[in-house]
Amino acid sequence: MTTQQDPRDPEAPEGVDLERPNVARVYDWFLGGSANWAIDREFGSQVLKQFPEVKTFARVGRDFLARGVGYLARQGITQFLDIGSGVPTVGNVHQIASAVNPDSRVVYVDIEPVAVAHSQLLLEREGLLGRHAVLQGDVRDPADIWKRALETGVLDPRQPIGLCLVGLLYFLGPDEPVHEIVQRYLDFLPPGSYFLSSHLTEDGVTRKEGDNRENVQELYKKTSAPFHLRSRAEFTAFFDGLELVEPGIDWMATWHLDEATSRASDRFADDPTFTGGLGGLGRKP
Protein backbone atom coordinates (compact mmCIF):
# COMPACT_ATOMS: atom_id res chain seq x y z
CA MET A 1 0.00 0.00 0.00
CA THR A 2 1.57 3.28 -1.11
CA THR A 3 1.69 6.43 1.00
CA GLN A 4 2.55 8.73 -1.89
CA GLN A 5 0.31 11.78 -1.83
CA ASP A 6 -2.03 12.12 -4.78
CA PRO A 7 -1.52 15.49 -6.57
CA ARG A 8 -5.27 16.13 -6.39
CA ASP A 9 -5.18 16.02 -2.60
CA PRO A 10 -5.14 19.27 -0.63
CA GLU A 11 -2.08 20.09 1.43
CA ALA A 12 -2.16 17.98 4.55
CA PRO A 13 -2.70 19.89 7.81
CA GLU A 14 0.01 19.57 10.43
CA GLY A 15 -0.11 16.31 12.33
CA VAL A 16 -1.82 14.28 9.59
CA ASP A 17 -0.64 10.67 9.53
CA LEU A 18 -0.29 9.40 5.96
CA GLU A 19 1.42 6.18 7.02
CA ARG A 20 -1.87 4.41 7.80
CA PRO A 21 -5.44 4.72 6.53
CA ASN A 22 -7.49 6.97 8.79
CA VAL A 23 -11.02 5.89 9.66
CA ALA A 24 -12.48 9.42 9.43
CA ARG A 25 -10.97 9.96 6.00
CA VAL A 26 -12.00 6.49 4.79
CA TYR A 27 -15.57 7.21 5.99
CA ASP A 28 -15.42 10.48 4.08
CA TRP A 29 -14.46 8.54 0.94
CA PHE A 30 -17.32 6.06 1.48
CA LEU A 31 -19.70 9.04 1.55
CA GLY A 32 -18.26 10.53 -1.65
CA GLY A 33 -16.16 13.24 0.01
CA SER A 34 -12.80 14.62 -1.10
CA ALA A 35 -10.96 15.04 2.22
CA ASN A 36 -8.99 11.82 1.88
CA TRP A 37 -5.65 10.64 0.56
CA ALA A 38 -4.51 7.85 -1.74
CA ILE A 39 -3.81 5.54 1.19
CA ASP A 40 -7.39 6.00 2.43
CA ARG A 41 -8.91 5.39 -1.00
CA GLU A 42 -6.80 2.28 -1.56
CA PHE A 43 -7.91 0.92 1.79
CA GLY A 44 -11.55 1.80 1.08
CA SER A 45 -11.34 -0.09 -2.20
CA GLN A 46 -10.08 -3.16 -0.35
CA VAL A 47 -13.04 -2.94 2.02
CA LEU A 48 -15.46 -2.65 -0.90
CA LYS A 49 -14.07 -5.83 -2.43
CA GLN A 50 -14.79 -7.68 0.80
CA PHE A 51 -18.15 -6.03 1.52
CA PRO A 52 -19.71 -4.07 -1.38
CA GLU A 53 -22.56 -2.74 0.81
CA VAL A 54 -20.20 -0.66 2.95
CA LYS A 55 -20.90 2.66 1.18
CA THR A 56 -24.62 2.23 1.70
CA PHE A 57 -24.00 1.27 5.32
CA ALA A 58 -22.04 4.51 5.77
CA ARG A 59 -24.97 6.49 4.41
CA VAL A 60 -27.37 4.66 6.74
CA GLY A 61 -25.26 5.80 9.69
CA ARG A 62 -25.17 9.37 8.42
CA ASP A 63 -28.93 9.37 7.90
CA PHE A 64 -29.47 8.12 11.45
CA LEU A 65 -27.49 11.09 12.76
CA ALA A 66 -29.58 13.44 10.63
CA ARG A 67 -32.86 12.01 11.87
CA GLY A 68 -31.70 12.12 15.48
CA VAL A 69 -30.55 15.73 15.29
CA GLY A 70 -33.71 16.74 13.45
CA TYR A 71 -35.83 15.11 16.12
CA LEU A 72 -33.94 16.90 18.89
CA ALA A 73 -34.21 20.26 17.14
CA ARG A 74 -37.97 19.79 16.93
CA GLN A 75 -38.03 19.06 20.67
CA GLY A 76 -36.49 22.48 21.26
CA ILE A 77 -32.82 21.48 21.65
CA THR A 78 -30.76 24.35 20.27
CA GLN A 79 -27.21 23.35 21.24
CA PHE A 80 -25.23 20.26 20.36
CA LEU A 81 -21.90 18.66 21.22
CA ASP A 82 -20.90 16.35 18.36
CA ILE A 83 -17.90 14.20 19.35
CA GLY A 84 -16.24 12.15 16.65
CA SER A 85 -17.84 14.45 14.10
CA GLY A 86 -15.49 13.37 11.33
CA VAL A 87 -14.82 15.15 8.05
CA PRO A 88 -17.61 17.55 7.03
CA THR A 89 -19.98 16.13 4.46
CA VAL A 90 -23.56 16.71 3.36
CA GLY A 91 -25.91 17.00 6.32
CA ASN A 92 -23.70 18.34 9.09
CA VAL A 93 -25.26 18.75 12.53
CA HIS A 94 -25.32 22.55 12.39
CA GLN A 95 -27.04 22.46 9.00
CA ILE A 96 -29.71 20.00 10.12
CA ALA A 97 -30.40 21.79 13.40
CA SER A 98 -30.40 25.26 11.86
CA ALA A 99 -32.98 24.19 9.28
CA VAL A 100 -35.36 23.72 12.22
CA ASN A 101 -34.07 26.52 14.47
CA PRO A 102 -31.71 29.14 12.99
CA ASP A 103 -30.39 29.91 16.48
CA SER A 104 -28.92 26.42 16.91
CA ARG A 105 -25.28 26.13 17.98
CA VAL A 106 -22.81 23.26 17.67
CA VAL A 107 -19.38 22.36 19.03
CA TYR A 108 -17.68 19.78 16.85
CA VAL A 109 -14.91 17.58 18.26
CA ASP A 110 -12.64 15.13 16.46
CA ILE A 111 -9.20 13.65 17.03
CA GLU A 112 -8.28 13.70 13.32
CA PRO A 113 -6.53 16.95 12.17
CA VAL A 114 -8.08 16.73 8.69
CA ALA A 115 -11.59 16.62 10.17
CA VAL A 116 -10.85 19.61 12.40
CA ALA A 117 -9.21 21.67 9.63
CA HIS A 118 -12.00 21.00 7.14
CA SER A 119 -14.69 21.71 9.73
CA GLN A 120 -13.10 25.07 10.52
CA LEU A 121 -12.79 25.88 6.83
CA LEU A 122 -16.43 25.01 6.18
CA LEU A 123 -17.66 27.19 9.04
CA GLU A 124 -15.38 30.06 7.99
CA ARG A 125 -16.70 29.93 4.43
CA GLU A 126 -20.26 30.00 5.73
CA GLY A 127 -19.45 32.85 8.13
CA LEU A 128 -20.48 30.66 11.06
CA LEU A 129 -17.24 30.23 12.99
CA GLY A 130 -17.98 31.80 16.34
CA ARG A 131 -21.59 30.77 16.51
CA HIS A 132 -20.27 27.22 16.11
CA ALA A 133 -16.85 25.89 17.14
CA VAL A 134 -14.44 23.08 16.29
CA LEU A 135 -12.02 21.38 18.70
CA GLN A 136 -9.40 18.70 18.31
CA GLY A 137 -9.77 16.26 21.17
CA ASP A 138 -9.93 12.64 22.25
CA VAL A 139 -13.28 11.23 23.36
CA ARG A 140 -11.37 9.34 26.07
CA ASP A 141 -10.85 12.59 28.00
CA PRO A 142 -14.37 13.82 28.88
CA ALA A 143 -13.19 16.43 31.39
CA ASP A 144 -10.86 18.08 28.86
CA ILE A 145 -13.43 18.08 26.07
CA TRP A 146 -16.20 19.40 28.32
CA LYS A 147 -13.97 22.15 29.72
CA ARG A 148 -12.80 23.35 26.31
CA ALA A 149 -16.26 23.04 24.77
CA LEU A 150 -17.63 25.41 27.41
CA GLU A 151 -14.66 27.75 26.97
CA THR A 152 -15.73 28.34 23.36
CA GLY A 153 -18.77 30.20 24.68
CA VAL A 154 -20.96 28.31 22.21
CA LEU A 155 -22.67 26.08 24.78
CA ASP A 156 -24.71 27.21 27.78
CA PRO A 157 -24.29 24.56 30.51
CA ARG A 158 -27.51 25.74 32.15
CA GLN A 159 -29.60 24.66 29.14
CA PRO A 160 -30.19 21.18 27.66
CA ILE A 161 -27.58 19.92 25.21
CA GLY A 162 -27.77 17.25 22.53
CA LEU A 163 -24.71 15.01 22.92
CA CYS A 164 -23.90 13.02 19.77
CA LEU A 165 -21.56 10.03 19.87
CA VAL A 166 -22.61 8.51 16.56
CA GLY A 167 -20.37 6.06 14.71
CA LEU A 168 -17.67 6.44 17.36
CA LEU A 169 -17.93 4.14 20.38
CA TYR A 170 -17.06 0.98 18.44
CA PHE A 171 -13.60 2.45 17.86
CA LEU A 172 -12.97 2.13 21.60
CA GLY A 173 -11.71 -1.32 22.51
CA PRO A 174 -12.94 -3.86 25.07
CA ASP A 175 -9.94 -3.06 27.24
CA GLU A 176 -11.01 0.57 27.58
CA PRO A 177 -13.48 1.92 30.20
CA VAL A 178 -16.07 2.86 27.58
CA HIS A 179 -19.10 2.82 29.89
CA GLU A 180 -17.27 4.99 32.40
CA ILE A 181 -16.31 7.43 29.64
CA VAL A 182 -19.92 7.71 28.45
CA GLN A 183 -21.20 8.08 32.01
CA ARG A 184 -18.76 10.92 32.62
CA TYR A 185 -20.22 12.84 29.69
CA LEU A 186 -23.75 12.15 30.90
CA ASP A 187 -22.82 13.43 34.36
CA PHE A 188 -21.70 16.73 32.80
CA LEU A 189 -24.94 17.21 30.87
CA PRO A 190 -27.64 19.41 32.42
CA PRO A 191 -31.13 17.93 33.03
CA GLY A 192 -33.28 17.74 29.93
CA SER A 193 -30.28 16.95 27.72
CA TYR A 194 -30.24 14.08 25.24
CA PHE A 195 -27.70 11.41 24.29
CA LEU A 196 -27.73 10.14 20.69
CA SER A 197 -25.51 7.19 19.83
CA SER A 198 -25.02 4.19 17.55
CA HIS A 199 -23.00 0.99 17.55
CA LEU A 200 -22.14 -2.06 15.46
CA THR A 201 -23.24 -5.47 16.68
CA GLU A 202 -23.48 -9.13 15.71
CA ASP A 203 -26.63 -9.70 17.77
CA GLY A 204 -29.55 -10.73 15.56
CA VAL A 205 -27.75 -9.83 12.34
CA THR A 206 -28.95 -11.51 9.16
CA ARG A 207 -26.10 -13.00 7.14
CA LYS A 208 -26.16 -13.50 3.39
CA GLU A 209 -24.08 -15.62 1.07
CA GLY A 210 -20.68 -14.05 0.50
CA ASP A 211 -20.98 -11.88 3.64
CA ASN A 212 -17.34 -11.16 4.49
CA ARG A 213 -17.76 -8.57 7.22
CA GLU A 214 -15.28 -10.42 9.45
CA ASN A 215 -12.65 -9.74 6.80
CA VAL A 216 -13.51 -6.05 7.01
CA GLN A 217 -12.89 -6.08 10.74
CA GLU A 218 -9.49 -7.66 10.09
CA LEU A 219 -8.67 -5.01 7.50
CA TYR A 220 -9.48 -2.24 9.96
CA LYS A 221 -6.71 -3.48 12.22
CA LYS A 222 -4.37 -1.79 9.71
CA THR A 223 -5.99 1.60 10.25
CA SER A 224 -5.65 4.34 12.85
CA ALA A 225 -8.57 2.84 14.81
CA PRO A 226 -9.71 -0.80 14.61
CA PHE A 227 -13.39 -1.30 15.42
CA HIS A 228 -15.01 -3.59 17.97
CA LEU A 229 -18.50 -5.07 18.06
CA ARG A 230 -20.67 -5.03 21.19
CA SER A 231 -23.87 -6.81 22.08
CA ARG A 232 -27.24 -5.12 22.18
CA ALA A 233 -27.16 -5.38 25.98
CA GLU A 234 -23.74 -3.70 26.14
CA PHE A 235 -24.92 -0.87 23.90
CA THR A 236 -28.17 -0.48 25.83
CA ALA A 237 -26.16 -0.12 29.04
CA PHE A 238 -24.72 3.17 27.73
CA PHE A 239 -28.20 4.64 28.27
CA ASP A 240 -28.52 3.58 31.92
CA GLY A 241 -30.29 6.28 33.91
CA LEU A 242 -31.78 7.91 30.80
CA GLU A 243 -35.33 7.89 29.49
CA LEU A 244 -35.19 6.11 26.14
CA VAL A 245 -37.08 7.79 23.33
CA GLU A 246 -39.42 5.42 21.48
CA PRO A 247 -38.83 2.94 19.94
CA GLY A 248 -35.86 2.51 22.29
CA ILE A 249 -32.76 0.73 21.02
CA ASP A 250 -33.52 -0.07 17.40
CA TRP A 251 -31.78 -0.76 14.12
CA MET A 252 -30.37 2.46 12.68
CA ALA A 253 -31.91 1.70 9.30
CA THR A 254 -35.45 1.92 10.71
CA TRP A 255 -35.11 4.25 13.72
CA HIS A 256 -37.65 7.06 13.08
CA LEU A 257 -37.48 6.22 9.39
CA ASP A 258 -40.73 8.13 8.85
CA GLU A 259 -38.74 11.33 9.44
CA ALA A 260 -36.07 10.55 6.83
CA THR A 261 -35.19 13.01 4.10
CA SER A 262 -32.64 10.66 2.51
CA ARG A 263 -33.82 7.24 1.42
CA ALA A 264 -30.61 5.23 1.81
CA SER A 265 -32.16 3.20 4.62
CA ASP A 266 -35.13 2.16 2.45
CA ARG A 267 -32.94 -0.50 0.91
CA PHE A 268 -32.88 -2.31 4.24
CA ALA A 269 -36.42 -1.58 5.41
CA ASP A 270 -37.46 -5.23 5.02
CA ASP A 271 -34.39 -6.51 6.87
CA PRO A 272 -32.66 -3.76 8.88
CA THR A 273 -30.70 -6.35 10.85
CA PHE A 274 -28.40 -6.88 7.86
CA THR A 275 -26.77 -3.49 8.50
CA GLY A 276 -25.61 -4.62 11.94
CA GLY A 277 -26.07 -1.08 13.25
CA LEU A 278 -28.02 -0.18 16.40
CA GLY A 279 -29.08 3.31 17.41
CA GLY A 280 -30.73 4.96 20.35
CA LEU A 281 -31.67 8.28 21.91
CA GLY A 282 -32.07 8.92 25.63
CA ARG A 283 -33.13 11.93 27.69
CA LYS A 284 -31.50 12.86 30.99
CA PRO A 285 -34.25 13.45 33.60
Side-chain angles (χ1 to χ4, degrees), residues 206-226:
T206 300
R207 305 299 295 268
K208 300 181 180 180
E209 186 176 352
D211 188 328
N212 296 319
R213 63 183 76 196
E214 290 90 351
N215 295 348
V216 173
Q217 191 169 10
E218 284 298 312
L219 283 173
Y220 264 78
K221 292 179 180 179
K222 305 175 184 178
T223 71
S224 60

Side-chain angles (χ1 to χ4, degrees), residues 79-160:
Q79 49 182 4
F80 297 83
L81 177 58
D82 184 10
I83 304 175
S85 52
V87 178
T89 186
V90 175
N92 295 296
V93 171
H94 74 276
Q95 296 167 328
I96 299 163
S98 294
V100 178
N101 188 330
D103 294 326
S104 296
R105 305 178 302 282
V106 182
V107 173
Y108 292 105
V109 183
D110 204 277
I111 196 171
E112 163 59 29
V114 169
V116 174
H118 280 262
S119 297
Q120 290 175 329
L121 182 60
L122 173 67
L123 294 174
E124 286 174 358
R125 285 176 176 172
E126 296 179 357
L128 297 175
L129 200 58
R131 193 180 107 194
H132 309 295
V134 186
L135 303 174
Q136 184 172 2
D138 191 330
V139 66
R140 298 170 179 84
D141 194 345
D144 175 68
I145 286 180
W146 183 255
K147 176 178 178 291
R148 291 193 293 128
L150 294 186
E151 287 175 348
T152 66
V154 171
L155 303 179
D156 180 353
R158 300 167 298 179
Q159 300 297 323

Side-chain angles (χ1 to χ4, degrees), residues 194-207:
Y194 286 84
F195 171 50
L196 179 72
S197 190
S198 64
H199 212 290
L200 297 177
T201 187
E202 287 182 314
D203 280 7
V205 173
T206 300
R207 305 299 295 268

